[in-house]
Amino acid sequence: MPRKELLIEHLKELISIVERSDGDHDALRRIRREGFFYPFWDEEFEYRLHRLDQKVDALLERPAPSCRMASEEGNHVLQLMTGVGTAARTEAIDYMRSGFSGAKQLVICDPYFLLSNSKNSKTDYLTGIDAVIPKTVKAIELYVKPRKRDAEVAAGFTKLCQDRDIKLNCRKTEELHDRVWIVDSTRAFVVGASFNGLGNKCAFILELPEEDRRNFIKEVGLLRERTTRSKSA
């Protein structure tokens, strides 16, 4: 008899046994005792079912992945979504300056920080940089991409630091992607757009939770050891 027809016959008999049984355990006991699904239900089949049970149990016991921003901790994380336009850029700069208030040192990780864009003149761009850096800042460490530099912007930023007596260390690297501003090693903000892109597209500015901040600062420390510094941008 073909396997398909044999399986149909077995299924009919199975239904009959289940109907005559006194419950689930009694039905399973009868089915196994009579070797009902042989050759469909052999030791290999039972072994595979057992393995599947184990995997399901393990998945049920595994902690569900979650976003820290959605947790109770995330309720205390400052965040701002910037819009598009001049007013949105001004709001973002004000928000960042407020978050950096009282800072003595800034670490700026922004690959395109030394590039302006067509929507802002280079003078306006430098004015924005001057506005976002608190007057209390005495040292800036800047991480940018190599060869992503507007000479006029770089010279203007270097002069800004000199005029305000800010010690500047500039490092070039290809190993950073996200835009992060670290404030005195005690706070850090992820800025969704490069500073030159604020107001051009919608983006979030989020303060990093403590564990992420510590891990990021650790990676920046390792990167510091692998890069050379320049006292000008």
Side-chain angles (χ1 to χ4, degrees), residues 7 18 37 40 44 58 75 89 99 112 122 124 132 141 149 154 161 184 193 199-200 202 212-213 224-226:
L7 180 57
V18 172
F37 279 101
F40 303 100
E44 175 66 18
N75 294 334
R89 180 175 178 81
Y112 303 99
K122 296 173 184 179
D124 288 343
V132 83
E141 188 168 52
R149 176 181 180 273
C161 290
D184 291 335
N200 293 343
C202 294
D212 292 333
R213 171 178 53 80
R224 185 180 293 118
E225 297 175 0
R226 299 195 297 269

PDB file of all heavy atoms in Angstrom, residues 7 18 37 40 44 58 75 89 99 112 122 124 132 141 149 154 161 184 193 199-200 202 212-213 224-226:
ATOM      1  N   LEU A   7      -0.910   6.087   5.553  1.00  0.00           N
ATOM      2  CA  LEU A   7      -1.051   7.134   6.557  1.00  0.00           C
ATOM      3  C   LEU A   7      -2.518   7.477   6.783  1.00  0.00           C
ATOM      4  O   LEU A   7      -2.957   7.680   7.919  1.00  0.00           O
ATOM      5  CB  LEU A   7      -0.275   8.379   6.106  1.00  0.00           C
ATOM      6  CG  LEU A   7      -0.318   9.582   7.048  1.00  0.00           C
ATOM      7  CD1 LEU A   7       0.199   9.196   8.425  1.00  0.00           C
ATOM      8  CD2 LEU A   7       0.489  10.737   6.473  1.00  0.00           C
ATOM      9  N   VAL A  18      -8.650   7.622  19.829  1.00  0.00           N
ATOM     10  CA  VAL A  18      -8.828   8.833  20.630  1.00  0.00           C
ATOM     11  C   VAL A  18     -10.265   8.928  21.130  1.00  0.00           C
ATOM     12  O   VAL A  18     -10.529   9.276  22.285  1.00  0.00           O
ATOM     13  CB  VAL A  18      -8.431  10.081  19.815  1.00  0.00           C
ATOM     14  CG1 VAL A  18      -8.801  11.354  20.577  1.00  0.00           C
ATOM     15  CG2 VAL A  18      -6.937  10.074  19.496  1.00  0.00           C
ATOM     16  N   PHE A  37       2.265   4.877  14.566  1.00  0.00           N
ATOM     17  CA  PHE A  37       2.734   5.616  13.397  1.00  0.00           C
ATOM     18  C   PHE A  37       3.966   5.001  12.762  1.00  0.00           C
ATOM     19  O   PHE A  37       4.587   5.620  11.914  1.00  0.00           O
ATOM     20  CB  PHE A  37       3.012   7.084  13.773  1.00  0.00           C
ATOM     21  CG  PHE A  37       1.765   7.902  13.798  1.00  0.00           C
ATOM     22  CD1 PHE A  37       1.144   8.211  14.994  1.00  0.00           C
ATOM     23  CD2 PHE A  37       1.203   8.348  12.626  1.00  0.00           C
ATOM     24  CE1 PHE A  37      -0.013   8.954  15.008  1.00  0.00           C
ATOM     25  CE2 PHE A  37       0.045   9.098  12.641  1.00  0.00           C
ATOM     26  CZ  PHE A  37      -0.570   9.405  13.839  1.00  0.00           C
ATOM     27  N   PHE A  40       6.061   5.933  10.438  1.00  0.00           N
ATOM     28  CA  PHE A  40       6.029   7.394  10.444  1.00  0.00           C
ATOM     29  C   PHE A  40       6.517   7.968  11.766  1.00  0.00           C
ATOM     30  O   PHE A  40       7.018   9.064  11.840  1.00  0.00           O
ATOM     31  CB  PHE A  40       4.589   7.881  10.186  1.00  0.00           C
ATOM     32  CG  PHE A  40       4.036   7.342   8.902  1.00  0.00           C
ATOM     33  CD1 PHE A  40       3.168   6.252   8.906  1.00  0.00           C
ATOM     34  CD2 PHE A  40       4.384   7.903   7.692  1.00  0.00           C
ATOM     35  CE1 PHE A  40       2.666   5.764   7.725  1.00  0.00           C
ATOM     36  CE2 PHE A  40       3.877   7.407   6.499  1.00  0.00           C
ATOM     37  CZ  PHE A  40       3.018   6.327   6.519  1.00  0.00           C
ATOM     38  N   GLU A  44      13.713   8.105  15.816  1.00  0.00           N
ATOM     39  CA  GLU A  44      14.302   9.329  15.278  1.00  0.00           C
ATOM     40  C   GLU A  44      13.307  10.469  15.320  1.00  0.00           C
ATOM     41  O   GLU A  44      13.628  11.610  15.661  1.00  0.00           O
ATOM     42  CB  GLU A  44      14.781   9.088  13.841  1.00  0.00           C
ATOM     43  CG  GLU A  44      15.314  10.344  13.125  1.00  0.00           C
ATOM     44  CD  GLU A  44      16.590  10.883  13.759  1.00  0.00           C
ATOM     45  OE1 GLU A  44      17.240  10.125  14.509  1.00  0.00           O
ATOM     46  OE2 GLU A  44      16.918  12.052  13.508  1.00  0.00           O
ATOM     47  N   ALA A  58      13.853  26.642  25.836  1.00  0.00           N
ATOM     48  CA  ALA A  58      14.978  27.575  25.977  1.00  0.00           C
ATOM     49  C   ALA A  58      14.586  28.979  25.519  1.00  0.00           C
ATOM     50  O   ALA A  58      14.951  29.979  26.136  1.00  0.00           O
ATOM     51  CB  ALA A  58      16.181  27.070  25.172  1.00  0.00           C
ATOM     52  N   ASN A  75      13.082  56.660  30.554  1.00  0.00           N
ATOM     53  CA  ASN A  75      12.204  57.769  30.869  1.00  0.00           C
ATOM     54  C   ASN A  75      12.973  58.988  31.343  1.00  0.00           C
ATOM     55  O   ASN A  75      12.457  60.094  31.351  1.00  0.00           O
ATOM     56  CB  ASN A  75      11.187  57.348  31.946  1.00  0.00           C
ATOM     57  CG  ASN A  75      10.224  56.295  31.443  1.00  0.00           C
ATOM     58  OD1 ASN A  75       9.969  56.204  30.259  1.00  0.00           O
ATOM     59  ND2 ASN A  75       9.694  55.495  32.354  1.00  0.00           N
ATOM     60  N   ARG A  89      17.074  74.327  13.391  1.00  0.00           N
ATOM     61  CA  ARG A  89      18.520  74.303  13.661  1.00  0.00           C
ATOM     62  C   ARG A  89      18.846  75.119  14.909  1.00  0.00           C
ATOM     63  O   ARG A  89      19.625  74.678  15.763  1.00  0.00           O
ATOM     64  CB  ARG A  89      19.295  74.839  12.457  1.00  0.00           C
ATOM     65  CG  ARG A  89      20.805  74.833  12.668  1.00  0.00           C
ATOM     66  CD  ARG A  89      21.572  75.253  11.419  1.00  0.00           C
ATOM     67  NE  ARG A  89      23.003  75.272  11.681  1.00  0.00           N
ATOM     68  CZ  ARG A  89      23.796  74.196  11.671  1.00  0.00           C
ATOM     69  NH1 ARG A  89      23.287  73.015  11.404  1.00  0.00           N
ATOM     70  NH2 ARG A  89      25.085  74.308  11.927  1.00  0.00           N
ATOM     71  N   GLY A  99      22.408  71.248  27.235  1.00  0.00           N
ATOM     72  CA  GLY A  99      22.899  69.953  27.710  1.00  0.00           C
ATOM     73  C   GLY A  99      24.370  69.981  28.068  1.00  0.00           C
ATOM     74  O   GLY A  99      24.822  69.228  28.937  1.00  0.00           O
ATOM     75  N   TYR A 112      32.028  64.761   9.865  1.00  0.00           N
ATOM     76  CA  TYR A 112      31.922  65.865   8.903  1.00  0.00           C
ATOM     77  C   TYR A 112      31.844  67.230   9.585  1.00  0.00           C
ATOM     78  O   TYR A 112      31.345  68.192   9.010  1.00  0.00           O
ATOM     79  CB  TYR A 112      30.701  65.646   8.008  1.00  0.00           C
ATOM     80  CG  TYR A 112      30.744  64.314   7.287  1.00  0.00           C
ATOM     81  CD1 TYR A 112      30.028  63.215   7.769  1.00  0.00           C
ATOM     82  CD2 TYR A 112      31.534  64.140   6.159  1.00  0.00           C
ATOM     83  CE1 TYR A 112      30.090  61.984   7.122  1.00  0.00           C
ATOM     84  CE2 TYR A 112      31.602  62.916   5.513  1.00  0.00           C
ATOM     85  CZ  TYR A 112      30.876  61.842   6.002  1.00  0.00           C
ATOM     86  OH  TYR A 112      30.950  60.619   5.367  1.00  0.00           O
ATOM     87  N   LYS A 122      29.643  79.725   5.480  1.00  0.00           N
ATOM     88  CA  LYS A 122      30.702  79.269   6.380  1.00  0.00           C
ATOM     89  C   LYS A 122      30.751  80.124   7.638  1.00  0.00           C
ATOM     90  O   LYS A 122      31.013  79.624   8.744  1.00  0.00           O
ATOM     91  CB  LYS A 122      32.035  79.272   5.647  1.00  0.00           C
ATOM     92  CG  LYS A 122      32.060  78.279   4.486  1.00  0.00           C
ATOM     93  CD  LYS A 122      33.302  78.374   3.644  1.00  0.00           C
ATOM     94  CE  LYS A 122      33.221  77.443   2.451  1.00  0.00           C
ATOM     95  NZ  LYS A 122      34.413  77.507   1.570  1.00  0.00           N
ATOM     96  N   ASP A 124      28.130  81.648   9.048  1.00  0.00           N
ATOM     97  CA  ASP A 124      27.012  81.234   9.894  1.00  0.00           C
ATOM     98  C   ASP A 124      27.295  79.891  10.565  1.00  0.00           C
ATOM     99  O   ASP A 124      26.897  79.661  11.717  1.00  0.00           O
ATOM    100  CB  ASP A 124      25.729  81.143   9.062  1.00  0.00           C
ATOM    101  CG  ASP A 124      25.195  82.510   8.667  1.00  0.00           C
ATOM    102  OD1 ASP A 124      25.606  83.505   9.291  1.00  0.00           O
ATOM    103  OD2 ASP A 124      24.378  82.575   7.723  1.00  0.00           O
ATOM    104  N   VAL A 132      27.160  76.809  20.280  1.00  0.00           N
ATOM    105  CA  VAL A 132      26.854  75.539  20.942  1.00  0.00           C
ATOM    106  C   VAL A 132      27.885  75.172  22.009  1.00  0.00           C
ATOM    107  O   VAL A 132      27.607  74.350  22.890  1.00  0.00           O
ATOM    108  CB  VAL A 132      26.745  74.402  19.901  1.00  0.00           C
ATOM    109  CG1 VAL A 132      28.099  73.833  19.534  1.00  0.00           C
ATOM    110  CG2 VAL A 132      25.821  73.295  20.397  1.00  0.00           C
ATOM    111  N   GLU A 141      38.460  67.840  22.217  1.00  0.00           N
ATOM    112  CA  GLU A 141      39.098  66.781  21.431  1.00  0.00           C
ATOM    113  C   GLU A 141      38.134  66.458  20.294  1.00  0.00           C
ATOM    114  O   GLU A 141      36.987  66.075  20.543  1.00  0.00           O
ATOM    115  CB  GLU A 141      39.365  65.543  22.282  1.00  0.00           C
ATOM    116  CG  GLU A 141      40.203  64.500  21.567  1.00  0.00           C
ATOM    117  CD  GLU A 141      40.687  63.424  22.529  1.00  0.00           C
ATOM    118  OE1 GLU A 141      39.852  62.856  23.253  1.00  0.00           O
ATOM    119  OE2 GLU A 141      41.900  63.150  22.551  1.00  0.00           O
ATOM    120  N   ARG A 149      37.277  67.981   4.966  1.00  0.00           N
ATOM    121  CA  ARG A 149      37.674  69.222   5.637  1.00  0.00           C
ATOM    122  C   ARG A 149      37.581  70.393   4.677  1.00  0.00           C
ATOM    123  O   ARG A 149      38.131  70.359   3.578  1.00  0.00           O
ATOM    124  CB  ARG A 149      39.113  69.053   6.139  1.00  0.00           C
ATOM    125  CG  ARG A 149      39.763  70.255   6.775  1.00  0.00           C
ATOM    126  CD  ARG A 149      41.185  69.895   7.170  1.00  0.00           C
ATOM    127  NE  ARG A 149      41.897  71.000   7.808  1.00  0.00           N
ATOM    128  CZ  ARG A 149      42.566  71.932   7.141  1.00  0.00           C
ATOM    129  NH1 ARG A 149      42.615  71.878   5.804  1.00  0.00           N
ATOM    130  NH2 ARG A 149      43.182  72.895   7.791  1.00  0.00           N
ATOM    131  N   ALA A 154      37.893  74.884   8.852  1.00  0.00           N
ATOM    132  CA  ALA A 154      38.912  74.366   9.770  1.00  0.00           C
ATOM    133  C   ALA A 154      39.724  75.503  10.378  1.00  0.00           C
ATOM    134  O   ALA A 154      39.983  75.528  11.596  1.00  0.00           O
ATOM    135  CB  ALA A 154      39.822  73.390   9.039  1.00  0.00           C
ATOM    136  N   CYS A 161      38.931  78.525  18.758  1.00  0.00           N
ATOM    137  CA  CYS A 161      39.499  77.899  19.960  1.00  0.00           C
ATOM    138  C   CYS A 161      40.634  78.755  20.532  1.00  0.00           C
ATOM    139  O   CYS A 161      40.744  78.917  21.759  1.00  0.00           O
ATOM    140  CB  CYS A 161      40.006  76.497  19.629  1.00  0.00           C
ATOM    141  SG  CYS A 161      38.680  75.303  19.282  1.00  0.00           S
ATOM    142  N   ASP A 184      32.640  66.219  29.645  1.00  0.00           N
ATOM    143  CA  ASP A 184      33.384  65.965  30.890  1.00  0.00           C
ATOM    144  C   ASP A 184      33.395  64.492  31.293  1.00  0.00           C
ATOM    145  O   ASP A 184      33.507  64.180  32.495  1.00  0.00           O
ATOM    146  CB  ASP A 184      32.791  66.786  32.041  1.00  0.00           C
ATOM    147  CG  ASP A 184      33.052  68.282  31.881  1.00  0.00           C
ATOM    148  OD1 ASP A 184      34.046  68.633  31.208  1.00  0.00           O
ATOM    149  OD2 ASP A 184      32.262  69.083  32.406  1.00  0.00           O
ATOM    150  N   ALA A 193      22.351  63.780  13.275  1.00  0.00           N
ATOM    151  CA  ALA A 193      22.956  64.354  12.064  1.00  0.00           C
ATOM    152  C   ALA A 193      24.290  64.980  12.436  1.00  0.00           C
ATOM    153  O   ALA A 193      24.528  65.322  13.597  1.00  0.00           O
ATOM    154  CB  ALA A 193      22.036  65.417  11.468  1.00  0.00           C
ATOM    155  N   GLY A 199      18.882  70.692  11.117  1.00  0.00           N
ATOM    156  CA  GLY A 199      17.925  71.564  10.448  1.00  0.00           C
ATOM    157  C   GLY A 199      17.679  71.204   8.997  1.00  0.00           C
ATOM    158  O   GLY A 199      16.761  71.730   8.372  1.00  0.00           O
ATOM    159  N   ASN A 200      18.499  70.307   8.446  1.00  0.00           N
ATOM    160  CA  ASN A 200      18.304  69.882   7.053  1.00  0.00           C
ATOM    161  C   ASN A 200      17.351  68.687   6.956  1.00  0.00           C
ATOM    162  O   ASN A 200      16.610  68.547   5.991  1.00  0.00           O
ATOM    163  CB  ASN A 200      19.639  69.507   6.408  1.00  0.00           C
ATOM    164  CG  ASN A 200      20.546  70.714   6.253  1.00  0.00           C
ATOM    165  OD1 ASN A 200      20.095  71.855   6.327  1.00  0.00           O
ATOM    166  ND2 ASN A 200      21.828  70.473   6.059  1.00  0.00           N
ATOM    167  N   CYS A 202      15.040  65.653   9.615  1.00  0.00           N
ATOM    168  CA  CYS A 202      14.612  65.289  10.966  1.00  0.00           C
ATOM    169  C   CYS A 202      15.634  64.339  11.582  1.00  0.00           C
ATOM    170  O   CYS A 202      16.099  63.413  10.924  1.00  0.00           O
ATOM    171  CB  CYS A 202      13.242  64.599  10.930  1.00  0.00           C
ATOM    172  SG  CYS A 202      11.902  65.686  10.398  1.00  0.00           S
ATOM    173  N   ASP A 212      26.079  52.633  28.194  1.00  0.00           N
ATOM    174  CA  ASP A 212      26.502  52.915  26.820  1.00  0.00           C
ATOM    175  C   ASP A 212      27.554  54.020  26.795  1.00  0.00           C
ATOM    176  O   ASP A 212      28.499  53.978  26.000  1.00  0.00           O
ATOM    177  CB  ASP A 212      25.296  53.314  25.971  1.00  0.00           C
ATOM    178  CG  ASP A 212      24.335  52.154  25.768  1.00  0.00           C
ATOM    179  OD1 ASP A 212      24.788  51.000  25.814  1.00  0.00           O
ATOM    180  OD2 ASP A 212      23.135  52.402  25.563  1.00  0.00           O
ATOM    181  N   ARG A 213      27.360  55.019  27.657  1.00  0.00           N
ATOM    182  CA  ARG A 213      28.349  56.104  27.717  1.00  0.00           C
ATOM    183  C   ARG A 213      29.715  55.566  28.134  1.00  0.00           C
ATOM    184  O   ARG A 213      30.732  55.885  27.506  1.00  0.00           O
ATOM    185  CB  ARG A 213      27.885  57.185  28.703  1.00  0.00           C
ATOM    186  CG  ARG A 213      28.964  58.231  28.985  1.00  0.00           C
ATOM    187  CD  ARG A 213      28.467  59.321  29.916  1.00  0.00           C
ATOM    188  NE  ARG A 213      27.909  58.788  31.144  1.00  0.00           N
ATOM    189  CZ  ARG A 213      28.638  58.385  32.181  1.00  0.00           C
ATOM    190  NH1 ARG A 213      29.963  58.416  32.123  1.00  0.00           N
ATOM    191  NH2 ARG A 213      28.050  57.933  33.268  1.00  0.00           N
ATOM    192  N   ARG A 224      42.042  56.751  20.698  1.00  0.00           N
ATOM    193  CA  ARG A 224      43.008  57.817  20.969  1.00  0.00           C
ATOM    194  C   ARG A 224      44.444  57.300  20.883  1.00  0.00           C
ATOM    195  O   ARG A 224      45.349  57.997  20.420  1.00  0.00           O
ATOM    196  CB  ARG A 224      42.727  58.406  22.354  1.00  0.00           C
ATOM    197  CG  ARG A 224      43.593  59.612  22.713  1.00  0.00           C
ATOM    198  CD  ARG A 224      43.239  60.127  24.104  1.00  0.00           C
ATOM    199  NE  ARG A 224      41.892  60.677  24.134  1.00  0.00           N
ATOM    200  CZ  ARG A 224      40.903  60.189  24.895  1.00  0.00           C
ATOM    201  NH1 ARG A 224      41.118  59.134  25.670  1.00  0.00           N
ATOM    202  NH2 ARG A 224      39.722  60.758  24.877  1.00  0.00           N
ATOM    203  N   GLU A 225      44.631  56.074  21.333  1.00  0.00           N
ATOM    204  CA  GLU A 225      45.967  55.478  21.320  1.00  0.00           C
ATOM    205  C   GLU A 225      46.431  55.134  19.905  1.00  0.00           C
ATOM    206  O   GLU A 225      47.632  54.994  19.661  1.00  0.00           O
ATOM    207  CB  GLU A 225      45.974  54.219  22.187  1.00  0.00           C
ATOM    208  CG  GLU A 225      45.690  54.483  23.664  1.00  0.00           C
ATOM    209  CD  GLU A 225      45.590  53.196  24.469  1.00  0.00           C
ATOM    210  OE1 GLU A 225      45.747  52.117  23.851  1.00  0.00           O
ATOM    211  OE2 GLU A 225      45.361  53.261  25.682  1.00  0.00           O
ATOM    212  N   ARG A 226      45.480  54.994  18.986  1.00  0.00           N
ATOM    213  CA  ARG A 226      45.832  54.568  17.618  1.00  0.00           C
ATOM    214  C   ARG A 226      45.914  55.742  16.643  1.00  0.00           C
ATOM    215  O   ARG A 226      46.183  55.525  15.449  1.00  0.00           O
ATOM    216  CB  ARG A 226      44.800  53.562  17.101  1.00  0.00           C
ATOM    217  CG  ARG A 226      44.685  52.290  17.919  1.00  0.00           C
ATOM    218  CD  ARG A 226      43.921  51.215  17.150  1.00  0.00           C
ATOM    219  NE  ARG A 226      42.549  51.588  16.865  1.00  0.00           N
ATOM    220  CZ  ARG A 226      41.517  51.304  17.667  1.00  0.00           C
ATOM    221  NH1 ARG A 226      41.717  50.677  18.813  1.00  0.00           N
ATOM    222  NH2 ARG A 226      40.286  51.672  17.328  1.00  0.00           N
TER     223      ARG A 226
END
